Amino acid sequence: MTMRIYVPRDAAAVACGADELAAALKVAAIARKLDIEIIRNGSRGMAWLDPLVELVTPEGRIGYGPAEPEDADSLIAAFAGDGAHKLRVGKPEDQPFLKRQTRLTFARVGIVDPRDLDDYKAHGGLQGLEKAIAIGPAAIVDEVTKSGLRGRGGAGFPTGIKWKTVADAAGPQKYIVCNADEGDSGTFADRMLMEGDPFCLIEGMAIAGVATGATKGYVYIRSEYPHAIAAMNAAIDKARRANVLGKGILGSAHDFDMETRTGAGAYVCGEETSLLESLEGKRGTVRAKPPLPAHKGLFGKPTVINNVLSLATVPIILAQGAEHYRDFGMGRSRGTMPIQLAGNLNYGGLFETAFGITLGELVDDIGGGCFTGRPVRAVQVGGPLGAYFPRELFDTPFDYEAFAAKDGLIGHGGIVVFDDTVDMRRQARFAMEFCAIESCGKCTPCRIGAIRGKETIEKIIAGKDVARNIAIVEDLCQTMKFGSLCALGGFTPYPVLSAIRHFPEDFHGTPQRIAAE
Ligand SMILES: Cc1cc2nc3c(=O)[nH]c(=O)nc-3n(C[C@H](O)[C@H](O)[C@H](O)COP(=O)(O)O)c2cc1C
Ligand code: SF4
């Protein structure tokens, strides 16, 4: 009987030796004259267990991790015997970290073979697109609107309204652009989805095409994601051969095809108008709005721009119905959010759950506190433009409005945890420095303000005229917040001001020298 084994091909697992492990498992099996099939799946999202090897047994898939190439021989011996091994963790879905999740967008990630369209179909794939074709454009937009889905890229704009604007726009040529630039610190959900379930993103984009009348799509992927680019290209090729893409998709009257494009490593190219400039082959600078991309986007044509997660959530909404999705969540934050737990944590990874879970539950219960064993002091939520939350705000529910009410944002769902050794002045300085480096230079509050902000915080760190310089930084933040053209300059004040407000003891404490850089 063939021994079937799953070894993730997710980039994080590959970085921990998954390719070498897969090769070593094969060699070990051949040496024992065992027939072996290795399937390269996505990651289950439990970072501390990767690479997680899974053996197919009559009882289901049994996980062993984190496995190294050196473990291959003993693992194969265990698989051929009673399965006992020091790395055995049992069924992955029984791990508390996975058991507590509600996986809708990530339902197939880690389970299916991302290069196998039949496996995708066997796990519910293409049902959303089939339904979309059957009900037609207006009803698709209606379903997406009713589901309450909001953009997962950061701004949380209702996806259905964006699609309706493009559907209503006149013009023979429209585009669907997927934003896979994923520049936020501590985020990796887009990458995991593209590597672990690329057909899902293709299906979501094809549904967007049918809904709006767009016939061409582009996935703009950051160059730092070569594995995701390869996974998407392989899946696009297979989807084309199976008529999921191309002329008359799935035998319908709708044409839709798509390609990947590689970014060049600028954070600001994740901003939608800057991304469009880059896609058009120009330097990535922000465009003034209006016109909105929905009216005049890529090459001046009506364009839907959505994040990977927004688009990859659409197939399940169509397949299961808007009510099923909107039943999860709280307030105006409907459905689930793939939250990314990163930084100084014991249990980092991908945790998809309904909106409403508190920050404290995520950090303390699910993340298991700091890896260093020290107390959690600060948590940055929503990437480099997100606020720092102190423990006193850990009762904040994960919800767009609740975070905004605390002068924060949930952004793309990234959570970066710091222990009590963090110096919040340096974090504030870093926010300004990041903005200065990544600024596209189009507007003055951001281009000049970020540099002045960094210099002024350096004076605070050096203990120079602290109270006056804090007042200058606070004043500068108001100028950046209200005077910047886009959210890079406009939101950099959030990490800076939250650090000053919630951690005043760091700013008024003993002067320290800035480490030589
Ligand atoms: C500086 C900056 C960087 C951004 N980076 C990303 C990104 O990497 N990925 C993303 O989806 N959205 C990013 N956004 C948000 C996009 O401008 C846009 O709102 C989003 O792609 C729309 O898709 P959604 O409605 O599905 O969220 C960024 C915005 C700004 C201001
Ligand atoms: S805020 Fe910064 S990144 Fe945005 S347009 Fe102005 S200079 Fe460019």
Side-chain angles (χ1 to χ4, degrees):
M1 212 177 77
T2 305
M3 184 185 278
R4 297 185 73 219
I5 298 174
Y6 286 80
V7 180
R9 64 158 82 238
D10 179 275
V14 168
C16 297
D19 285 349
E20 294 78 6
L21 174 65
L25 286 166
K26 193 148 214 167
V27 170
I30 291 169
R32 286 170 190 269
K33 300 198 171 16
L34 294 167
D35 197 12
I36 184 175
E37 183 192 358
I38 295 183
I39 303 147
R40 303 299 303 271
N41 57 336
S43 168
R44 297 275 192 159
M46 297 180 282
W48 70 99
L49 287 179
D50 263 332
L52 179 69
V53 178
E54 295 176 40
L55 173 71
V56 180
T57 75
E59 288 76 47
R61 279 154 67 167
I62 306 294
Y64 296 79
E68 295 183 21
E70 297 71 45
D71 299 314
D73 203 47
S74 62
L75 281 170
I76 292 293
F79 296 168
D82 64 359
H85 193 280
K86 64 179 193 303
L87 298 179
R88 184 184 164 117
V89 293
K91 291 184 182 175
E93 57 273 20
D94 288 343
Q95 289 288 314
F97 190 89
L98 262 185
K99 216 171 183 169
R100 292 178 71 173
Q101 299 190 38
T102 302
R103 286 205 165 187
L104 301 181
T105 311
F106 274 71
R108 277 177 297 261
V109 174
I111 293 174
V112 294
D113 176 352
R115 304 270 164 114
D116 186 343
L117 186 57
D118 290 332
D119 202 15
Y120 180 67
K121 285 194 229 168
H123 287 85
L126 297 186
Q127 287 175 9
L129 180 56
E130 280 159 4
K131 169 97 178 286
I133 289 168
I135 64 177
I140 302 172
V141 172
D142 206 35
E143 277 294 283
V144 174
T145 307
K146 275 199 297 201
S147 75
L149 179 67
R150 291 166 72 175
R152 303 293 188 233
F157 188 80
T159 307
I161 294 178
K162 192 182 277 187
W163 287 21
K164 181 157 174 35
T165 311
V166 176
D168 290 347
Q173 182 65 63
K174 301 177 191 178
Y175 295 104
I176 308 297
V177 172
C178 173
N179 189 340
D181 200 49
E182 196 162 57
D184 282 0
S185 39
T187 64
F188 43 83
D190 294 350
R191 180 186 61 69
M192 270 185 69
L193 192 289
M194 290 187 286
E195 290 174 2
D197 194 11
F199 293 115
C200 183
L201 177 56
I202 293 171
E203 185 178 352
M205 289 184 68
I207 293 171
V210 175
T212 58
T215 52
K216 180 86 195 187
Y218 293 96
V219 192
Y220 184 92
I221 312 177
R222 60 183 308 169
S223 60
E224 295 90 335
Y225 280 179
H227 298 82
I229 294 167
M232 285 308 305
N233 283 338
I236 289 170
D237 191 42
K238 288 198 171 133
R240 230 177 247 146
R241 286 166 205 241
N243 192 221
V244 176
L245 294 174
K247 293 222 163 292
I249 58 173
L250 296 183
S252 72
H254 303 278
D255 300 340
F256 187 76
D257 207 345
M258 58 186 276
E259 293 171 38
T260 59
R261 286 286 183 273
T262 307
Y267 180 71
V268 78
C269 283
E271 193 282 332
E272 56 187 15
T273 62
S274 193
L275 186 154
L276 292 176
E277 288 286 296
S278 178
L279 258 185
E280 290 179 7
K282 302 175 202 151
R283 199 180 122 198
T285 47
V286 172
R287 295 179 185 170
K289 288 189 266 192
L292 294 170
H295 293 130
K296 216 164 171 265
L298 186 61
F299 303 116
K301 308 292 182 208
T303 303
V304 165
I305 305 186
N306 273 134
N307 174 253
V308 173
L309 303 180
S310 318
L311 289 160
T313 303
V314 168
I316 195 160
I317 291 174
L318 267 291
Q320 312 251 345
E323 283 75 24
H324 175 76
Y325 191 75
R326 72 164 303 126
D327 275 354
F328 296 97
M330 68 173 277
R332 287 175 49 221
S333 305
R334 307 312 316 171
T336 57
M337 182 74 194
I339 296 166
Q340 299 124 86
L341 297 172
N344 194 342
L345 272 181
N346 276 305
Y347 303 109
L350 191 288
F351 193 88
E352 183 176 351
T353 189
F355 285 97
I357 189 168
T358 67
L359 186 55
E361 281 177 88
L362 286 164
V363 172
D364 294 328
D365 303 350
I366 293 151
C370 285
F371 181 73
T372 49
R374 303 184 69 93
V376 174
R377 178 150 188 253
V379 177
Q380 189 177 27
V381 185
L385 311 177
Y388 286 96
F389 279 69
R391 188 161 275 286
E392 299 80 71
L393 295 181
F394 275 17
D395 59 352
T396 310
F398 218 78
D399 161 72
Y400 290 102
E401 280 65 42
F403 266 68
K406 302 274 165 68
D407 284 331
L409 52 110
I410 64 171
H412 184 48
I415 292 185
V416 181
V417 176
F418 298 82
D419 73 11
D420 61 349
T421 60
V422 67
D423 179 341
M424 296 308 294
R425 293 172 304 181
R426 286 169 197 280
Q427 297 308 120
R429 173 190 176 277
F430 172 69
M432 286 293 189
E433 184 183 33
F434 181 82
C435 182
I437 292 170
E438 298 295 340
S439 170
C440 84
K442 186 140 176 170
C443 67
T444 318
C446 169
R447 187 183 67 246
I448 308 288
I451 292 171
R452 295 290 168 262
K454 173 178 162 283
E455 290 168 357
T456 314
I457 296 171
E458 280 169 358
K459 287 182 192 158
I460 296 169
I461 294 174
K464 281 188 207 152
D465 214 352
V466 171
R468 189 169 151 267
N469 279 316
I470 288 178
I472 290 173
V473 170
E474 286 173 337
D475 185 56
L476 174 64
C477 280
Q478 295 310 310
T479 306
M480 289 175 72
K481 206 166 160 182
F482 297 107
S484 297
L485 184 58
C486 88
L488 179 47
F491 280 56
T492 292
Y494 282 80
V496 176
L497 292 175
S498 59
I500 295 173
R501 190 205 295 179
H502 300 308
F503 305 90
E505 61 279 15
D506 284 21
F507 289 83
H508 299 283
T510 331
Q512 257 186 29
R513 279 188 55 245
I514 309 170
E517 281 163 37

